[in-house]
Structure formats: C-alpha cells, structure tokens
Amino acid sequence: MHWTGAEVPTRARGDASADPSLRRDAVEIVPGVHWIGALDPTLRTFDIILRTANGTTYNAFAIRGSEGVAIVDTVKRELSDEFFARLESVAGYEEIQAIVLNHLEPDHSGALPELMRRAPRARLYISTRATSMLKALLKPKEGNRPFEYTTVKTGDEVSLGDRRLRFLHTPFLHWPDTQCTYLVEDQFLFSGDVFGCHYCDSRLFNDLVGDFRFSFDYYYAHIMRPFKLHVMDALKLIEPLALKTIAPAHGPILRDRPRRYVTHYRELSTSSLADDICNQEKTLVVFYMSSYGNTARMAEAVCSGAEERGGVRVSLYDLEGGETGPFVDLIEEADALAFGSPTINGDAVKPVWDLLSSLAVVNLKGKIGAAFGSYGWSGEAVRMIEDRMRGLKMRIPIQGLRIKLIPTHEELEACREFGRSLSGALLGEREEGRVIDMADLG
Ligand code: FEO
C-alpha cells in the first residue's frame, strides 16, 4: 500500500467510559457482531522472536444469527476472564452453536477448553490440517468435555439462520492449520493472523487507533514473509470477496477502507526486482568479507567469471560496508547466492554469520548457494557456510573453493571458472562435489 498522509488513521480522543480496557463489555462492530477479545498492552515479546512495543490484542468475536450464536477464535489462556466477561455481556452459553478456530496457536486457542466446557451445545469447526494440532495442544483433561469437531475446507458453510459463515483455507498463514472465515451477508472477513499486527489500542478500529503502519509491516515481515507463496494463494481467495470489514486476530479491526490492506499484502508479496530485469535473466548476489584483500580478489574473480556467461545479473557486496537488513531483500529475490569468507579462529567471520542468521524470515528453498574463501592454515569457513546454506534448504551444486593465502594467477582463473560454473548451474547445468582446496591440487 502506498500510504499517504491523508490516509493515516487519525487519532481520536477516547471516551473513558467507552474504553473496553476499563469496562469488560463487548464492543459492537456491526449489528449482531461483537468483539469479545482481550487486550495485552504490556506484552513486549511475542513468540520469542517478535518485539511488541505496543503490546498486542487477541481478537475474538461473537456473531448472533437468527438460529444461534457463533464464536470465532478465543484468547490466550491467561486472559480468559476478559474474554468470558465480554462474551457473557452479549450471549448466553446455551445459545452458542458454533465455535470456529481460524488458527490453533495458543494465543487463540487458550480459552477453548473452558469455552467448550461452558457451551454444551456448541460444535467446533477447524480446518482439516488443524486436527493433529488440536489433539496435541488441547489434550482433554479431567472435567473437559471431549473435543468433538468438524473439519472444514474452502467453500464449506455453517448456517446461523439468517447469517452464514463460509470458510477459506489459507494454510501457513501462519501455521499449516490457518483458515479465514467470511460472514457472507455482512461482507465481513475474520482473517486470523492475516492482516494482523501486534498493536494494542483500546480504540480497536483502524480509523480510531494510532498510526500502526510500522507494526503492520513488521508483523508481515516476520510472520507472513517466509510464506509469500502462500500469501499469494490466500489473496486469490480473498481478493474476489466483497469486503466491508476485515477483523484480524491481532491489532486493529479494519473497517475503514479494508481493501487497502489486501492491496498492500499483494504489493508486499510481489517481487519488485521482477520489473527491473529481463524476463529470462537470472540473478547472482556475491557477498564477501576480506581481512587482507585475498578473499576480496577471489570475489571479484568469481563475479568476473559469472558475468562471462551472459544471462546472469551479478551483484557484488562487501559486508564490511553494509548492514544486513537491506541485504535480506536482495537475497529473497536472488536466484543464487555466494558467500566469501576468510577463516579466522577456525570459523567464518561474524558479518557472514550475521547475514546468514537473519535469513529465517525469507524462503530460500531451492536457491543455489556457493561458498569460497582464502585461509591461512585450517580453512573451515567454506564448509561451515555450505552447511548453513544446506540447513536453509538451499542447493549447493558447485564445489566450494578455498585458496591458501594470496591467490596466484592460476588460482584466480579457478575463481573465474567457479563463477562460470555458478552461472552454468543457474542456467540449467549442474555439478555436485566436495570443497576444492587449490592447495591440495598444487
Ligand atoms: Fe496469532 Fe499465529 O497466532
């Protein structure tokens, strides 16, 4: 989304008497649909890896139809009291006929066992892939009633009389089980983690809360980005929907121009590089660090050889001159990556590890990887980098290349050949093998 100043949600001064964090009442979103979630303003870390400067919300909803009530999602177990208080302000447990969990991570399923116990007529609806998670996460305990459930797939519906819930299977956003639920008559999408963010503001709605753009993009980058291909699949289901409201499981409820967020997801998930290079061109990015200039000379020779083939766009970066953050974007869109590192104290150097360790947020599966480096006496770095790349599910079709200390003319030619082979692999030729140590060949 290209946010403009005019589109920044305005801050509204809350009426303390209407603040749901002070009063545990449900909040009406549209007639008959209430927010019954919980606020967690002091949370500062989520799932170990996410920083949550504004805390978060666990959004859950009650939907009243002419023939009963449905609950969509619950909250983290520790905040169950808030959830039940809000639920009780709009519905009786006997009225609940359907409980939908869009995603079984404990931040949404924590209150489920108690809800099932309190709502004896309710049936649970989950995605097919949620079955094993349900059994693992919510092992029945004494006093819990058995978890009877129905699995649903894209297009299945549950009727509440005058309202229908229709399901969209959107796997891996953010676990394999995830789905969205569409309230057909209201054009209202309960989107689970999709379009969510960790941003706690008791004003709840995107036209009332503070500026949450950073939180929205940060959440996408850490939760959705590794699954971009699945985001694209989900968007194929979501984009055709008429949308008046999107209610994600975390953060503001998107009632003001909700389609902007769908468009923004499309933009975030689409390769920007694809527009800048030729259709048939492949991309190789070479990163290196060098202590005495030896690995740098190797890197330049590798690039020179790779460029000889044509059809491969080659980029060279000295990690001494950059921060890892922007490189992650380059890496995500590259077809092949090569890392050059000297070996110091039996290890690759820290900037290389910093970059490699920051790649958990992108999908590298199937990309080509390669490693090279100069060394003094042991030279473990190349093999260690290769092992890390294999751990990231990259392919290593070209033997790693090590050169003892200062590369000779012949060894630089070997580096050029290494680059040619990399381009060849990118263009469809393959080689397999071990690390080549030029010192062993002398
Ligand atoms: Fe909000 Fe993936 O749980």
Side-chain angles (χ1 to χ4, degrees):
M1 167 172 12
H2 300 293
W3 303 85
T4 68
E7 291 173 325
V8 176
T10 53
R11 295 185 69 85
R13 296 200 180 283
D15 170 1
S17 67
D19 186 339
S21 65
L22 303 176
R23 292 173 35 190
R24 292 187 168 189
D25 289 341
V27 177
E28 188 174 71
I29 306 172
V30 298
V33 179
H34 286 82
W35 177 83
I36 55 170
L39 305 171
D40 197 356
T42 60
L43 186 80
R44 291 294 173 265
T45 306
F46 185 91
D47 267 3
I48 303 173
I49 58 167
L50 262 76
R51 308 309 302 273
T52 50
N54 303 82
T56 194
T57 65
Y58 310 101
N59 297 332
F61 307 93
I63 305 153
R64 180 170 291 282
S66 60
E67 295 177 4
V69 169
I71 305 298
V72 175
D73 291 328
T74 74
V75 302
K76 178 163 128 174
R77 186 173 55 81
E78 292 80 355
L79 298 174
S80 296
D81 287 351
E82 277 191 48
F83 166 76
F84 287 117
R86 293 194 171 103
L87 192 165
E88 288 167 14
S89 73
V90 290
Y93 293 112
E94 292 286 335
E95 297 180 288
I96 300 171
Q97 66 165 261
I99 297 170
V100 175
L101 275 204
N102 281 333
H103 174 28
L104 266 66
E105 195 167 3
D107 51 326
H108 308 298
S109 61
L112 179 65
E114 179 61 17
L115 177 60
M116 293 294 286
R117 194 183 67 75
R118 294 189 188 191
R121 296 178 54 221
R123 184 152 195 92
L124 176 64
Y125 295 89
I126 56 174
S127 74
T128 306
R129 295 174 101 160
T131 305
S132 60
M133 291 174 193
L134 181 74
K135 289 174 181 165
L137 282 169
L138 304 169
K139 290 168 184 160
K141 296 176 185 166
E142 196 174 343
N144 287 342
R145 74 179 173 99
F147 284 102
E148 293 171 6
Y149 58 87
T150 298
T151 58
V152 291
K153 58 186 186 308
T154 298
D156 287 349
E157 292 187 353
V158 169
S159 173
L160 299 174
D162 59 349
R163 283 177 147 148
R164 285 170 296 159
L165 297 170
R166 183 180 297 161
F167 302 101
L168 293 75
H169 187 42
T170 53
F172 292 100
L173 306 178
H174 132 245
W175 278 7
D177 64 316
T178 40
Q179 63 179 4
C180 297
T181 301
Y182 184 59
L183 186 59
V184 179
E185 288 71 16
D186 298 82
Q187 300 176 356
F188 191 126
L189 184 69
F190 302 95
S191 58
D193 282 347
V194 185
F195 307 123
C197 65
H198 292 308
Y199 187 89
C200 183
D201 189 319
S202 61
R203 292 166 292 190
L204 290 184
F205 298 98
N206 68 324
D207 52 313
L208 300 179
V209 302
D211 186 343
F212 63 101
R213 289 173 297 171
F214 165 78
S215 302
F216 190 90
D217 285 0
Y218 179 83
Y219 186 92
Y220 175 90
H222 288 81
I223 299 289
M224 300 295 156
R225 180 176 179 159
F227 305 106
K228 273 186 176 182
L229 294 177
H230 294 285
V231 171
M232 303 287 254
D233 287 341
L235 289 176
K236 286 178 197 162
L237 299 175
I238 293 169
E239 285 171 336
L241 299 175
L243 288 171
K244 288 182 179 170
T245 311
I246 297 175
H250 297 289
I253 294 163
L254 310 171
R255 67 179 179 184
D256 176 37
R257 291 168 289 169
R259 194 162 293 280
R260 287 185 305 156
Y261 302 90
V262 181
T263 304
H264 192 43
Y265 257 49
R266 171 65 70 181
E267 290 167 354
L268 289 171
S269 305
T270 302
S271 164
S272 55
L273 183 63
D275 294 335
D276 295 331
I277 62 173
C278 303
N279 276 344
Q280 304 303 321
E281 204 169 27
K282 298 287 186 181
T283 56
L284 164 66
V285 184
V286 179
F287 296 100
Y288 72 94
M289 276 289 287
S290 192
S291 303
Y292 295 103
N294 298 326
T295 300
R297 293 178 69 196
M298 290 181 72
E300 287 162 2
V302 169
C303 287
S304 170
E307 286 168 347
E308 284 177 20
R309 299 290 303 250
V312 177
R313 181 81 62 102
V314 182
S315 309
L316 176 65
Y317 290 99
D318 182 350
L319 289 175
E320 189 173 356
E323 297 178 8
T324 56
F327 290 143
V328 174
D329 290 327
L330 290 177
I331 288 171
E332 184 172 46
E333 297 196 349
D335 298 300
L337 306 166
F339 292 90
S341 174
T343 296
I344 296 180
N345 296 330
D347 201 349
V349 294
K350 185 173 182 298
V352 171
W353 285 131
D354 286 346
L355 184 54
L356 287 168
S357 67
S358 67
L359 299 180
V361 296
V362 296
N363 181 6
L364 300 175
K365 189 175 180 180
K367 287 188 194 297
I368 288 175
F372 59 90
S374 167
Y375 68 97
W377 59 90
S378 52
E380 293 92 340
V382 169
R383 178 89 66 189
M384 294 169 87
I385 293 169
E386 287 186 332
D387 287 345
R388 170 63 177 160
M389 289 191 288
R390 287 192 186 94
L392 291 166
K393 299 189 171 62
M394 297 174 67
R395 291 195 298 119
I396 316 292
I398 310 301
Q399 303 169 17
L401 182 62
R402 306 192 310 175
I403 289 176
K404 193 170 179 71
L405 295 172
I406 302 170
T408 64
H409 287 300
E410 291 73 22
E411 287 169 334
L412 287 175
E413 176 52 28
C415 292
R416 282 187 283 275
E417 183 56 30
F418 184 81
R420 289 183 205 108
S421 298
L422 260 178
S423 285
L426 262 176
L427 298 171
E429 303 161 13
R430 293 194 181 182
E431 296 177 36
E432 301 283 349
R434 57 178 178 79
V435 172
I436 293 179
D437 188 332
M438 293 302 289
D440 293 340
L441 302 179

